[in-house]
Amino acid sequence: ATQTLPLPVPVTATGATVSASITASSVPDSNLGNNTDTSVSSALFADLTSSVDLPVNAAAGSVVTVTATFTNSATGATATTATSATGTVVLSDGTTQTFALGDLAPGASATRSFTATVPSSTATTLLSATSTVATSTPESNTANNVGTDTLVVLFADPAVDVGVIPSGVPGATVTTTLSLTNNGSATTSITVTVSINGSLTTLVATLAPGATQTLTLTVPVTPTGSTVSATITASSVPDSNLGNNSDTSVAGAVFAD
């Protein structure tokens, strides 16, 4: 006859071992060689990893895509499915996204993306992201559950320069220049208000990093001379330096004696 008994076996971090030995028999045993037996099994583990990717750089105030990848990197005979996996991405501006990933078999990955707005404050020069992943399944390595990446925030720095105005007799016209330069690292579209002896004109220009546009202005000479001023009133990308956004040039009138 045979009797089979179920045994509950806790699995430890090193696996599970069950041994059985017959220690007594009411009738003498003719074969002691089969009185003991042992069974050993290994513990199964998941091994979740995470990574997060941002663009290398982006203009302040622009919208970028954040992509995170979560993978069960477990391999070999001890690899098992990571159940009820959860991924999280946290940005340095406080933005948080959490993703239910479900079950990840060994070698399986889940990729999630979302959009984020790059900070506009000139005090913020970097945007960082941190990804984490977790599961209810024991893991062989939790040191690789975190991923990071950093984006450099780009700003514009538009500047205006009004050239020297030649003196002239009242009623004549002279010319001067207006130079618009972007000293920043991001392309921007700017709006400039130009005043020629109090008469206002609005100009719009798009400037790549390091680019300069130079315009020629015709300036009437009045009895009190000539005044040209220019002020940047708007920039599509936040301006890191407002100290060079306006300039004025003045010239006197010339009279016969």
Side-chain angles (χ1 to χ4, degrees):
T2 298
Q3 288 189 27
T4 300
L5 305 176
L7 299 177
V9 182
V11 180
T12 69
T14 57
T17 301
V18 176
S19 297
S21 298
I22 298 173
T23 58
S25 174
S26 63
V27 175
D29 188 348
S30 64
N31 178 15
L32 300 179
N34 57 4
N35 284 19
T36 62
D37 194 25
T38 298
S39 183
V40 178
S41 67
S42 300
L44 301 180
F45 297 96
D47 180 14
L48 291 182
T49 64
S50 77
S51 64
V52 61
D53 292 303
L54 293 168
V56 175
N57 53 54
S62 64
V63 176
V64 296
T65 298
V66 184
T67 301
T69 302
F70 309 97
T71 303
N72 183 358
S73 300
T75 59
T78 62
T80 192
T81 297
T83 58
S84 303
T86 301
T88 302
V89 178
V90 179
L91 302 184
S92 54
D93 66 358
T95 300
T96 300
Q97 293 283 336
T98 300
F99 307 101
L101 307 175
D103 297 343
L104 293 177
S109 294
T111 299
R112 300 291 186 270
S113 297
F114 63 96
T115 57
T117 300
V118 178
S120 296
S121 170
T122 55
T124 303
T125 58
L126 298 174
L127 177 66
S128 62
T130 301
S131 63
T132 57
V133 67
T135 177
S136 58
T137 304
E139 290 193 66
S140 59
N141 177 19
T142 58
N144 53 8
N145 288 23
V146 178
T148 60
D149 200 12
T150 301
L151 174 152
V152 176
V153 182
L154 306 180
F155 295 95
D157 179 14
V160 296
D161 179 72
V162 179
V164 175
I165 304 172
S167 298
V169 297
T173 58
V174 295
T175 61
T176 188
T177 58
L178 172 64
S179 296
L180 308 174
T181 301
N182 182 4
N183 298 312
S185 54
T187 297
T188 187
S189 295
I190 60 173
T191 302
V192 184
T193 298
V194 180
S195 172
I196 301 176
N197 297 330
S199 178
L200 301 180
T201 301
T202 299
L203 304 175
V204 176
T206 298
L207 299 172
T212 296
Q213 290 187 26
T214 300
L215 308 174
T216 299
L217 304 178
T218 300
V219 183
V221 180
T222 72
T224 57
S226 307
T227 301
V228 176
S229 63
T231 302
I232 297 171
T233 57
S235 173
S236 62
V237 174
D239 187 347
S240 62
N241 176 19
L242 302 178
N244 54 8
N245 284 20
S246 62
D247 193 29
T248 300
S249 187
V250 178
V254 176
F255 296 92
D257 186 0

